[in-house]
């Protein structure tokens, strides 16, 4: 089988194992971030009285949705991929196969599920009267594809390190939580004092919620230079992560 066929096989296996025996099936993939959005929306809007920054902002919930969905895809793909080599140790010992397909499948299944969920929530927001630009949805999916490359690069790196450093997976939820609140998901970059905004340039995820809001909500603007830099960063992380994975790959079996 080709690598692409193996990736598709493991994506199907992952989706089947994830939702087999559940009453809702794959619907839970949409319900889970929707419930999360509702909880965050209630807490921030009705408890903390938060509002989307800017006079022409469409509301906090649409503002949050376009940041939360890409983060959910990114963080879930990274979490599942980090332990995928370790979780599939019996299969790796028995069958000679390219181990990278396991990482690719873990990230791809998360982005597939939450990419469909993103499309669904965008249409739902439009039906509820939110001025969301559905014409820009194909461009938003291209942004998702670019984020997939970034997530895949980190996934290769973390999956390889997890084989040798077993403390990584227990620490990852806390690291991802810090990363989430350090990203412009619940707030805009402009909410920070100007002297601190440059720090967001060090966050490779920060570009994506801002890009999606700019294209679909016309909230802020993203220039071609920022898009080009984000693409180069994503490709750089992918190449670096793959290099580490390839370098450590021959030693996996000794530690599994």
């Amino acid at each position: 089988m080709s690598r692409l066929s193996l990736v598709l096989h493991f994506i199907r296996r992952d989706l089947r194992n994830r939702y087999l025996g559940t009453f809702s099936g794959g619907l839970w993939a949409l319900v889970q971030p929707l419930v999360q959005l509702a909880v965050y929306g209630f807490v921030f809007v009705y408890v903390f009285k938060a509002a989307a920054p800017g006079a022409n902002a469409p509301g906090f919930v649409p503002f949050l949705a376009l940041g939360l969905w890409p983060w959910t895809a990114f963080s879930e793909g990274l979490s599942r991929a980090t332990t995928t080599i370790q979780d599939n140790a019996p299969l790796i010992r028995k069958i000679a196969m390219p181990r990278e397909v396991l990482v690719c499948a873990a990230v791809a299944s998360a982005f597939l599920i939450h990419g469909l969920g993103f499309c669904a929530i965008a249409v739902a927001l439009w039906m509820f009267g939110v001025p969301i630009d559905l014409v820009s949805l194909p461009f938003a999916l291209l942004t998702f594809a670019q984020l997939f490359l970034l997530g895949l690069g980190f996934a290769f790196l973390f999956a390889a390190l997890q084989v040798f450093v077993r403390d990584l997976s227990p620490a990852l939820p806390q690291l991802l939580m810090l990363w989430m609140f350090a990203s412009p998901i619940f707030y805009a970059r402009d909410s920070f004092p100007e002297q601190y905004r440059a720090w967001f340039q060090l966050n490779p995820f920060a570009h994506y919620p801002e890009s999606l809001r700019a294209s679909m909500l016309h909230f802020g603007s993203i220039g071609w230079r920022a898009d080009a830099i984000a693409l180069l960063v994503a490709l750089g992380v992918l190449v670096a992560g793959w290099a580490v994975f390839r370098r450590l790959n021959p030693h996996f079996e000794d530690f599994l």
Side-chain angles (χ1 to χ4, degrees):
M1 295 178 69
S2 67
R3 279 177 166 79
L4 179 58
S5 299
L6 283 172
V7 170
L8 294 176
H9 167 76
F10 282 108
I11 289 175
R12 289 193 296 267
R13 190 189 74 162
D14 180 64
L15 296 177
R16 184 171 58 250
N17 292 343
R18 195 185 303 194
Y19 301 115
L20 185 66
T22 62
F23 290 105
S24 60
L27 184 62
W28 180 246
L30 175 61
V31 173
Q32 185 265 335
L34 192 61
V35 170
Q36 191 177 17
L37 175 65
V39 171
Y40 282 136
F42 175 81
V43 171
F44 280 90
V45 174
Y46 293 102
V47 178
F48 295 130
K49 308 299 181 183
N56 299 321
F60 185 77
V61 172
F63 175 89
L64 176 59
L66 267 62
L68 187 61
W69 241 270
W71 172 257
T72 303
F74 178 80
S75 60
E76 182 179 313
L78 189 53
S79 297
R80 297 181 70 87
T82 296
T83 60
T84 190
I85 300 297
Q86 184 179 334
D87 294 342
N88 288 279
L91 181 65
I92 291 174
R93 294 193 195 101
K94 292 179 182 178
I95 302 174
M97 57 174 291
R99 286 80 179 266
E100 62 270 16
V101 301
L102 298 170
V103 180
C104 291
V107 180
S109 63
F111 272 83
L112 175 63
I113 291 169
H114 295 297
L116 293 174
F118 179 82
C119 294
I121 198 65
V123 173
L125 290 172
W126 176 79
M127 292 177 65
F128 278 100
V130 175
I132 191 167
D133 188 1
L134 291 183
V135 177
S136 300
L137 186 57
F139 299 100
L141 293 179
L142 288 177
T143 303
F144 251 80
Q146 183 175 314
L147 180 59
F148 168 78
L149 298 179
L150 179 69
L152 185 59
F154 279 113
F156 278 135
L157 175 63
F158 286 12
L161 294 178
Q162 170 62 23
V163 176
F164 305 96
V165 185
R166 299 297 176 91
D167 295 332
L168 179 59
S169 61
L172 188 59
Q174 286 71 38
L175 294 174
L176 288 174
M177 182 180 295
L178 289 173
W179 196 346
M180 179 177 69
F181 285 106
S183 302
I185 298 172
F186 300 95
Y187 52 84
R189 185 186 303 220
D190 294 343
S191 303
F192 276 70
E194 190 170 355
Q195 63 266 31
Y196 299 117
R197 294 176 193 171
W199 287 97
F200 284 95
Q201 304 297 334
L202 301 177
N203 183 349
F205 179 81
H207 169 80
Y208 296 94
E210 294 177 334
S211 178
L212 291 170
R213 288 166 184 153
S215 62
M216 301 195 71
L217 294 177
H218 303 294
F219 180 86
S221 61
I222 299 293
W224 66 267
R225 185 171 298 177
D227 287 329
I229 291 174
L231 177 59
L232 290 175
V233 169
L235 293 175
V237 171
L238 178 60
V239 170
W242 168 242
V244 173
F245 187 90
R246 188 175 180 182
R247 176 67 179 84
L248 298 179
N249 185 15
H251 307 287
F252 285 169
E253 290 185 15
D254 297 332
F255 290 85
L256 290 174

